[in-house]
Amino acid sequence: MPLHRNLPFATYQCLPGLNWSRLKLLARSPLHFRSPPPVDSDPLFSALHTALLEPQIFAEQYQLAEGRRTAAAKAAAGDRVLLTARDFATIQGVVDALHGHTVAGPLLAEPGWSELTMTWEDHGRALKGRIDRLTSSGTLIDLKAVPSVEPRKIAVEVARRLYHGQLAHYVEGLRACGQHVERVVVIAYEAAPPYDVGVYALELDAALYVGEVLRAGLLDVLAQCEAEDRWPGAAPELRPLVLPRWAPGIEQTGVDTLADEDDHL
């Protein structure tokens, strides 16, 4: 199974195969997988990734907008994306923070490959993925912009956004392509001053294993939906409404709930 280096993102998007961005929609409902909602892309975060992972091509893809980003200004910029002075300040702040971090800086400086594309097959199904960075020593690095890098909040963010499933998908792809993975780390950063940074390892026999179970379950759901040609939404049946623990009035009733306290974070 091949690994593709230096493959433009637009080319990756056109490759056949199921990627994690689509597969994870099954966790919302098969209906959302069948009719995926439109995805809004923030150019700032794409620019941040380029500045951090492919700085040599940043100037080819992005340009400072002098004044408003009008249609005429965009036309004059050609294929380059216009960013505001505030965007550039944010990018520089994040880049400096990550490279100055005692763990993230050396990790990003290790030899390796950025924006690495994988294509493989699993049980006759074409799959694909695109990872942020893989070092020559086998460290899979994923960059995440987060509201806070505090450990407890990062754990909630990873669980809510199914990042553990995403990284398990990437590990499976790398292994299918014959690539050894020594460890998996998330470099989390806050995209606002003071641009705090945290680096978290997802252990292969703990968080990554949970991600593997999640991913396998979603693939099973997909196979069942395809076999039955049935694509239900998130709530196809009548269900009781269970209030979260923080709902006003709960503390005065003594009523127990099944909702997660972290829902109010």
Side-chain angles (χ1 to χ4, degrees):
M1 303 296 177
L3 288 172
H4 308 272
R5 299 170 186 168
N6 304 316
L7 193 71
F9 183 68
T11 305
Y12 163 73
Q13 288 181 303
C14 295
L15 290 175
L18 179 63
N19 64 2
W20 177 255
S21 296
R22 183 75 186 280
L23 180 61
K24 72 177 181 180
L25 292 177
L26 285 163
R28 189 172 179 183
S29 82
L31 178 64
H32 289 86
F33 175 88
R34 186 78 178 277
S35 303
V39 178
D40 293 328
S41 178
D42 187 339
L44 173 59
F45 291 108
S46 296
L48 271 168
H49 268 227
T50 303
L52 287 163
L53 300 172
E54 300 177 293
Q56 70 279 5
I57 65 171
F58 182 83
E60 299 174 9
Q61 297 187 0
Y62 298 95
Q63 177 179 321
L64 176 64
E66 297 180 2
R68 298 176 59 191
R69 288 180 285 188
T70 63
K74 292 178 181 179
D79 292 335
R80 287 182 291 184
V81 177
L82 291 177
L83 300 174
T84 66
R86 183 175 181 178
D87 291 336
F88 268 83
T90 296
I91 291 167
Q92 192 61 56
V94 171
V95 169
D96 290 345
L98 263 68
H99 286 300
H101 190 269
T102 54
V103 180
L107 272 176
L108 290 172
E110 282 189 33
W113 307 272
S114 295
E115 304 293 0
L116 188 63
T117 291
M118 308 162 293
T119 55
W120 73 101
E121 288 190 2
D122 186 4
H123 293 85
R125 189 182 301 279
L127 301 169
K128 66 179 181 179
R130 187 175 174 92
I131 65 174
D132 288 343
R133 187 161 179 81
L134 179 68
T135 70
S136 56
S137 62
T139 298
L140 170 58
I141 299 173
D142 197 59
L143 300 176
K144 297 296 186 190
V146 298
S148 170
V149 299
E150 294 176 38
R152 178 171 175 269
K153 293 184 178 179
I154 283 291
V156 172
E157 187 81 358
V158 168
R160 278 183 172 171
R161 297 187 179 276
L162 311 185
Y163 289 152
H164 56 311
Q166 176 188 15
L167 290 167
H169 185 73
Y170 292 165
V171 169
E172 178 64 26
L174 287 170
R175 287 173 174 168
C177 293
Q179 181 66 53
H180 174 68
V181 179
E182 184 69 29
R183 60 175 176 167
V184 178
V185 299
V186 170
I187 298 181
Y189 62 90
E190 298 172 10
Y195 307 112
D196 202 3
V197 176
V199 182
Y200 294 90
L202 280 74
E203 301 297 333
L204 297 177
D205 60 351
L208 254 294
Y209 176 70
V210 176
E212 290 173 5
V213 172
L214 168 65
R215 176 180 175 274
L218 295 179
L219 288 169
D220 287 343
V221 169
L222 177 56
Q224 181 178 353
C225 289
E226 290 174 336
E228 299 176 356
D229 193 22
R230 182 173 174 270
W231 306 87
E237 301 173 352
L238 178 66
R239 300 181 60 179
L241 188 147
V242 181
L243 292 173
R245 297 183 190 276
W246 51 265
I250 285 287
E251 70 280 357
Q252 299 170 4
T253 65
V255 173
D256 193 17
T257 79
L258 299 177
D260 193 336
E261 292 181 9
D262 286 338
D263 286 346
H264 194 47
L265 287 178

